[in-house]
Amino acid sequence: LPSSRTLGSAGTRAASEPSLRPGDMIVVQVWRQPEFSGEFFVTDAGVVGHPLYRRIVAAGRSPDEVRGSIMLFLSEFETEPNFVVEVMLQVGIGGEVRQPTVHHLRPGTSISEAVQLAGGITDRGALDRVILRRDGVQYRGDLQDPASDFRRIEIRSGDEIVVERRTDIFREYVVPIISVAGSIASIIRLASPGR
């Protein structure tokens, strides 16, 4: 099981230089060149998953490095290629959010923004009980506190964000006790003489 820690400002700095991993998405738009344009995943081999781009290594490199490699590649076909490259990092967002799944998000997206992009929390979600799992370490934070560094931590590829359920004392403790008491009363009535 991952260990649990509190993530401070050091964790915020560590998240500022993301590197790509297999499963991340690279969106390329090349002016008047549809064969070079599209949404491509980083493959398990670490390269861009498209026949024309497959020699470009993406895994373990920063978005800027990947953009530079794509520019060099396109320069072989055009002197001054007109293109846009956008990198989307895969992040698992689950628990009490409205759209729990693997999302592809832009670098620079904060933990707080990622939860909003997953549809926000459900009625049972607890913004003060959010877990970030990163590289085998589990961090707990509070997204309700405006002063919390946790809110501003930027996502990295492979992160898992889990919004925990808010504790409902009435539903989780009072209702079961009432149910048990009602069941005991029914059993006593059934066992009473004269029934």
Side-chain angles (χ1 to χ4, degrees):
L1 288 174
S3 60
S4 186
R5 299 182 190 172
T6 302
L7 195 62
S9 58
T12 308
R13 288 195 303 272
S16 62
E17 298 267 342
S19 58
L20 277 68
R21 297 183 181 191
D24 290 336
M25 183 189 294
I26 300 171
V27 183
V28 184
Q29 295 295 329
V30 185
W31 177 251
R32 294 184 176 174
Q33 299 284 347
E35 66 274 17
F36 291 110
S37 302
E39 298 179 349
F40 315 118
F41 288 98
V42 179
T43 68
D44 289 339
V47 298
V48 180
H50 183 273
L52 296 172
Y53 292 115
R54 65 183 172 208
R55 74 184 197 201
I56 297 174
V57 175
R61 303 176 74 202
S62 72
D64 284 343
E65 289 174 324
V66 173
R67 285 187 195 98
S69 292
I70 290 174
M71 184 184 73
L72 285 174
F73 174 78
L74 293 173
S75 297
E76 296 176 13
F77 302 91
E78 240 180 281
T79 307
E80 293 183 9
N82 189 354
F83 71 100
V84 176
V85 175
E86 186 172 28
V87 170
M88 307 292 278
L89 307 177
Q90 62 170 345
V91 177
I93 307 175
E96 294 297 327
V97 293
R98 299 192 188 280
Q99 298 167 20
T101 188
V102 174
H103 294 265
H104 284 86
L105 307 174
R106 291 181 177 87
T109 301
S110 69
I111 301 293
S112 183
E113 290 167 338
V115 169
Q116 289 303 313
L117 291 168
I121 64 169
T122 67
D123 294 338
R124 294 185 176 188
L127 279 177
D128 60 339
R129 295 169 57 189
V130 178
I131 295 169
L132 168 65
R133 295 188 184 111
R134 174 177 289 175
D135 297 328
V137 181
Q138 180 169 289
Y139 306 96
R140 290 184 172 274
D142 182 351
L143 295 183
Q144 277 186 329
D145 180 2
S148 169
D149 283 338
F150 191 82
R151 293 173 52 89
R152 293 180 289 280
I153 294 168
E154 294 179 3
I155 59 156
R156 293 177 70 180
S157 177
D159 280 354
E160 292 178 39
I161 301 167
V162 179
V163 176
E164 293 190 305
R165 182 173 292 187
R166 187 177 63 245
T167 302
D168 187 333
I169 293 172
F170 183 79
R171 182 177 296 171
E172 295 182 19
Y173 298 101
V174 177
V175 171
I177 290 169
I178 292 171
S179 298
V180 169
S183 299
I184 291 170
S186 298
I187 293 167
I188 290 171
R189 278 198 305 272
L190 289 171
S192 297
R195 289 266 176 192

